[in-house]
Amino acid sequence: MKKFFWLLSRPFYWLWKFLSSGLSILANLLFLGLLIAVVTAALYTPQTTVPQGSALILAPEGDIVEERSPMDPATRLISQITGTPLHAECFLQDILDAINAATDDPRIKLLVLNTNRLGKASLEQIRTIGRALEQFKSTGKQIIAIGDNFNQAQYYLASWADTIYLNPMGAVNLRGFAVYRLYFKEMLDKLAVDFHVFRVGTFKSAVEPFLRNDMSAEDREANSLWLNALWQAYSADITKNRRLEPQVFQENVNQTVSQLASVGGDRAQLALATGLVDGIKTRQELEAMFLNQVGPSIDRTSFNHIDFQSYLQTLTPSYTETSAKQALIGIITASGNLLPGEGSVGQIGADDLIKKIRKARLDKRIKAIVLRINTGGGSAFASELIREELVRAQKEGKIVVVSMGAMTASGGYWLSANADSIVADPTTLTGSIGIFGAIPTLEKTLANMGIHGDGLGTTDVAHFGTLTSAMSKEEAAALQMDVEQGYRQFIQIVAKGRKMQPAMVERLAEGRVWDGATALRLGLVDKLGDLETAIAEAARLAHVPAENGLFLDLTPDNLLERFKRVEQPVEAMLGRLLLRGAPALQSVQQQISPQLELFVPARDPRNIYAHSMLPPSPLTF
């Protein structure tokens, strides 16, 4: 009987097996088909045609960067759910590639430079773009800049155009450069926090905000020198590009309020009267003007043009690998504070950068390494680790050239000092040869709350590093000796790398910041120029064609690594969401963050830092 029921159930069993297996297979096939469709959509690039006699619209959106930030699904999902826009960025080399290609492209008749969505950019980056724009104009083609408003960075870029048009409701906001910081000593006193600082160098002012309520005379002197040097470079470029009298331009900026009153408070008319712009036009008037110059588009919905991103799809990016190149110049980019271990977006993790350098060192095709770096410094330990890896590459026959961005100071200079050649822009901020240590103790703060620390140790130094008890004279003396020894090491590294006497280096050190032009005169850098200049220098030293440059990108090995690297962008987006609708809070946050961020992630194992607390670009002030 039992066997009878078993035989009776078998057809139903096999029917169910078939149906469940079939459904599983069908579901898998549907999922696979969906996955293929998504990947195809992501990778598919429609063929782009450049119209004859068209205008190239160059409209950089977001901050100009030289190291692309990763983007992950979580960031995009948060953006969609919250309605918070993604933080846009524009890769500098993409801009240069587009301008350089358009220069020799007979299909491009005109370049329209729209700066409305340009975010942060350094003087050095804009000067590099300006040189490419000059080449474009040298062919007889015209550049027209348009803007609803121009801040200092936007106007600086626009000044390279043949003609600048401003919206009637707009303004050109030129105020000059400034450095303003928040000082926390009184707050720390009220909180009863003892902030112990150990430093070498009269001008090493990174920790001043924790020791004072105002700027010291030494810091004011040092800041004045480099600020004025950068303002002179900025003003000289604008007056040259716009054919203005330098003295008149300076007076116009200084007398903005009285000049504004003379035109009835109309900022657009003020810009026109002072020669900053060539005309005032609405968007509709600009559209009509471009229609007259290049004719209508094929669909007749606009004037004949191609946008920047579409034009890029027709180009082969610069410094990309081809199988024909057997001798290469490896280009490594790094930006942010220096810290031990791994970094995230906006930080230079020593381990990450060392992996890239090691990859170049072990590649027999790579004959030279160009390190394009933009940093105010950070952990002295991280700086030394990176320097050692660069020196090892040199010992194994690689040429090492450092290309300094807007800022390569303190720890950035530490790791650069031994390079075969250092290239900086005249507006680069560099030097800041000095170090400091900073440790807060909270014993008084806790006592005010009724909390007291006590304990014992097996040695006389077991209590060192305890933040809840007062720092002893012995511990303070040890930390000061650490800093002084680190400073001597910094001096020796620079002296050997730059082939100077230590006494000479000491006269240039003490934490003082220098602009690139002055640094060249003092022997701290070898050449003035941009990344292209540095690549040419590496090509000369390594006897490799300059066109054989190759951007080196070390992609994270697995999905977990990818998500670790994008943790900071997600947090930043959530922060922007919380601060939305509170411009005053955003302004304070933007000012405080650079002053505090060093002490949070960049924990040097000995609490010794080679860092210069300066803004990445005075254009943002």
Side-chain angles (χ1 to χ4, degrees):
M1 193 70 176
K2 188 174 181 182
K3 189 173 183 180
F4 170 75
F5 283 111
W6 181 84
L7 290 172
L8 186 66
S9 67
R10 295 314 290 171
F12 295 101
Y13 172 79
W14 287 110
L15 177 62
W16 172 251
K17 197 78 172 175
F18 172 77
L19 289 174
S20 61
S21 299
L23 288 172
S24 177
I25 293 170
L26 180 62
N28 287 333
L29 287 173
L30 287 173
F31 175 76
L32 183 61
L34 179 62
L35 182 62
I36 292 172
V38 170
V39 172
T40 302
L43 298 179
Y44 172 69
T45 302
Q47 188 169 358
T48 302
T49 302
V50 182
Q52 289 289 339
S54 60
L56 171 62
I57 300 181
L58 180 59
E61 185 171 349
D63 299 345
I64 295 180
V65 300
E66 299 178 54
E67 184 180 20
R68 298 183 193 272
S69 300
M71 187 56 63
D72 69 304
T75 308
R76 295 188 185 279
L77 182 61
I78 292 174
S79 173
Q80 293 169 0
I81 294 174
T82 64
T84 307
L86 294 172
H87 183 66
E89 63 181 29
C90 194
F91 190 49
L92 175 62
Q93 194 60 51
D94 285 346
I95 298 175
L96 300 177
D97 284 350
I99 298 171
N100 292 335
T103 299
D104 300 319
D105 192 336
R107 298 167 296 180
I108 301 297
K109 179 182 178 181
L110 171 72
L111 192 151
V112 178
L113 183 58
N114 185 333
T115 63
N116 284 334
R117 295 189 176 184
L118 174 65
K120 295 178 183 177
S122 69
L123 283 167
E124 188 271 340
Q125 289 170 333
I126 295 178
R127 285 165 62 90
T128 299
I129 298 171
R131 285 189 282 271
L133 293 174
E134 287 174 353
Q135 287 297 314
F136 182 91
K137 290 193 296 184
S138 69
T139 64
K141 297 180 182 181
Q142 189 181 14
I143 301 175
I144 297 176
I146 59 175
D148 294 336
N149 280 283
F150 293 105
N151 62 26
Q152 296 195 126
Q154 292 167 340
Y155 185 75
Y156 191 37
L157 179 58
S159 73
W160 268 274
D162 297 286
T163 311
I164 303 177
Y165 290 108
L166 177 66
N167 190 281
M169 294 291 290
V172 178
N173 297 301
L174 301 184
R175 298 178 296 171
F177 300 161
V179 171
Y180 286 94
R181 298 193 182 100
L182 297 177
Y183 291 81
F184 307 102
K185 183 179 185 304
E186 185 174 351
M187 180 194 75
L188 294 174
D189 288 344
K190 289 182 178 180
L191 294 174
V193 174
D194 281 339
F195 205 86
H196 306 275
V197 172
F198 311 91
R199 59 178 172 172
V200 181
T202 306
F203 300 95
K204 199 64 184 174
S205 60
V207 290
E208 275 196 358
F210 305 99
L211 303 177
R212 303 174 55 93
N213 292 320
D214 58 0
M215 187 180 291
S216 70
E218 293 81 7
D219 194 27
R220 194 175 298 275
E221 176 192 345
N223 289 334
S224 177
L225 288 175
W226 66 260
L227 273 175
N228 283 320
L230 268 58
W231 175 248
Q232 287 300 320
Y234 178 89
S235 302
D237 283 335
I238 287 178
T239 53
K240 176 186 175 184
N241 294 340
R242 296 295 300 162
R243 298 180 177 85
L244 301 173
E245 288 293 329
Q247 185 176 351
V248 174
F249 172 78
Q250 184 72 26
E251 290 174 354
N252 286 341
V253 175
N254 286 330
Q255 299 171 9
T256 296
V257 177
S258 61
Q259 298 232 13
L260 187 59
S262 69
V263 293
D266 190 327
R267 288 187 176 270
Q269 287 296 330
L270 175 61
L272 183 63
T274 54
L276 296 179
V277 301
D278 299 288
I280 299 173
K281 289 185 182 292
T282 64
R283 292 185 177 184
Q284 291 75 21
E285 289 171 335
L286 288 171
E287 180 81 13
M289 181 187 73
F290 292 135
L291 273 170
N292 184 57
Q293 289 184 314
V294 296
S297 59
I298 295 175
D299 59 9
R300 308 192 76 81
T301 59
S302 181
F303 60 93
N304 187 24
H305 72 275
I306 182 169
D307 65 84
F308 164 58
Q309 293 295 340
S310 297
Y311 189 60
L312 279 177
Q313 294 174 9
T314 71
L315 310 177
T316 300
S318 294
Y319 309 125
T320 54
E321 187 173 13
T322 66
S323 57
K325 296 176 180 177
Q326 296 303 314
L328 301 173
I329 300 169
I331 306 167
I332 299 172
T333 59
S335 180
N337 283 336
L338 294 160
L339 66 153
E342 296 176 344
S344 60
V345 178
Q347 299 173 338
I348 303 174
D351 288 356
D352 298 330
L353 185 50
I354 287 170
K355 285 179 184 177
K356 291 185 180 183
I357 298 168
R358 185 175 297 135
K359 179 181 178 182
R361 174 171 60 81
L362 297 175
D363 191 332
K364 293 182 179 179
R365 296 175 304 160
I366 293 178
K367 308 303 180 184
I369 299 171
V370 173
L371 176 60
R372 173 68 173 180
I373 190 163
N374 186 14
T375 180
S379 163
F381 180 64
S383 303
E384 176 60 12
L385 290 178
I386 297 166
R387 186 194 70 85
E388 288 171 354
E389 189 65 28
L390 290 171
V391 169
R392 183 176 179 183
Q394 289 174 300
K395 289 179 179 178
E396 295 185 13
K398 310 289 185 183
I399 294 295
V400 172
V401 175
V402 169
S403 173
M404 294 182 167
M407 184 177 190
T408 306
S410 210
Y413 195 83
W414 180 312
L415 66 87
S416 303
N418 290 100
D420 295 290
S421 183
I422 299 177
V423 179
D425 188 82
T427 62
T428 295
L429 298 180
T430 188
S432 191
I433 301 168
I435 65 174
F436 64 88
I439 300 177
T441 57
L442 307 175
E443 72 281 359
K444 295 178 183 176
T445 308
L446 295 173
N448 289 340
M449 299 168 61
I451 303 173
H452 303 276
D454 195 8
L456 70 150
T458 59
T459 69
D460 293 340
V461 297
H463 64 283
F464 282 16
T466 304
L467 301 184
T468 56
S469 63
M471 182 178 290
S472 65
K473 292 181 180 179
E474 292 77 14
E475 183 178 0
L479 287 168
Q480 182 63 37
M481 284 188 284
D482 281 344
V483 169
E484 290 175 359
Q485 186 273 335
Y487 183 66
R488 289 193 298 271
Q489 183 182 4
F490 199 167
I491 294 293
Q492 290 296 327
I493 286 170
V494 174
K496 182 178 179 181
R498 301 306 301 165
K499 297 178 175 60
M500 292 180 175
Q501 291 297 320
M504 172 61 75
V505 177
E506 288 184 17
R507 286 197 288 271
L508 305 178
E510 293 196 17
R512 192 155 195 163
V513 176
W514 307 101
D515 61 276
T518 303
L520 176 67
R521 179 171 55 82
L522 296 175
L524 294 175
V525 304
D526 298 294
K527 208 164 196 175
L528 296 181
D530 53 17
L531 175 60
E532 187 176 351
T533 310
I535 294 170
E537 180 73 355
R540 182 184 68 82
L541 294 172
H543 308 290
V544 176
E547 58 268 22
N548 286 16
L550 171 67
F551 277 120
L552 301 180
D553 178 35
L554 193 66
T555 304
D557 296 328
N558 54 56
L559 189 61
L560 179 61
E561 285 295 309
R562 290 174 185 269
F563 274 88
K564 282 170 65 178
R565 303 304 169 90
V566 295
E567 180 181 351
Q568 185 171 320
V570 172
E571 292 175 352
M573 179 176 291
L574 291 173
R576 289 198 298 274
L577 177 65
L578 292 173
L579 291 172
R580 182 186 287 179
L585 289 177
Q586 285 181 332
S587 178
V588 172
Q589 184 266 340
Q590 289 170 0
Q591 192 165 353
I592 291 178
S593 291
Q595 295 182 219
L596 298 182
E597 65 181 4
L598 169 68
F599 299 100
V600 179
R603 292 295 294 176
D604 185 274
R606 293 170 61 195
N607 288 299
I608 298 176
Y609 301 95
H611 190 270
S612 185
M613 197 73 68
L614 294 172
S617 173
L619 283 173
T620 59
F621 283 77

